[in-house]
Every structure is written in structure tokens, then in C-alpha cells.
């Protein structure tokens, strides 16, 4: 459990350090992400982005458990 928390903390720190470059990636604008923009209303649901992040995090957790 402690190793998992340390790994999550290191990932969060790495994302924070790399944020200027990560913000330029097209996450949140992938095909399959739902974005509805109307006058006075906007709705955004990043389905594809969430699936991609889930797969990557699952792979990292699976590899750290080996």
C-alpha cells in the first residue's frame, strides 16, 4: 500500500513538473469527447480521454505490482 501511494505521489509530481508541455497535448480534444457549446451554456464530457487515462494508469499499476 505504501509503495502504491509513493508511486502515485511521484506521478503527480512528474505531471506538475511537466505541465507546461503536457498542456499542449491534444487531451480533451480527442475524437469521442463530447463538447456542446451554446450561447450561455457549455458542456464537456471527455469520454475518450478518460478511457485513455484509465488504460495508462491500469497499465502502470499492473506493472508496479509485478
Amino acid at each position: 500500500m505504501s509503495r502504491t501511494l509513493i508511486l502515485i505521489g511521484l506521478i503527480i509530481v512528474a505531471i506538475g513538473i511537466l505541465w507546461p508541455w503536457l498542456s499542449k497535448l491534444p487531451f480533451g480534444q480527442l475524437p469521442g469527447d463530447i463538447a456542446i457549446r451554446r450561447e450561455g451554456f457549455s458542456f464537456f464530457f471527455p469520454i475518450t480521454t478518460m478511457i485513455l487515462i484509465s488504460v495508462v494508469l491500469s497499465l502502470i499499476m499492473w506493472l508496479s505490482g509485478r
Side-chain angles (χ1 to χ4, degrees):
M1 179 70 173
S2 63
R3 184 170 46 162
T4 304
L5 290 175
I6 291 171
L7 180 65
I8 292 170
L10 290 174
I11 290 170
I12 291 172
V13 168
I15 289 172
I17 291 171
L18 298 173
W19 188 253
W21 297 282
L22 292 175
S23 63
K24 295 178 184 176
L25 293 175
F27 289 119
Q29 303 169 2
L30 297 174
D33 290 345
I34 298 172
I36 300 171
R37 293 181 184 91
R38 296 185 183 157
E39 185 178 333
F41 175 77
S42 64
F43 176 76
F44 182 68
F45 191 65
I47 295 172
T48 308
T49 302
M50 289 190 305
I51 292 171
L52 183 64
I53 290 172
S54 175
V55 168
V56 169
L57 289 176
S58 296
L59 183 63
I60 289 170
M61 297 302 270
W62 180 73
L63 289 173
S64 69
R66 294 183 111 211

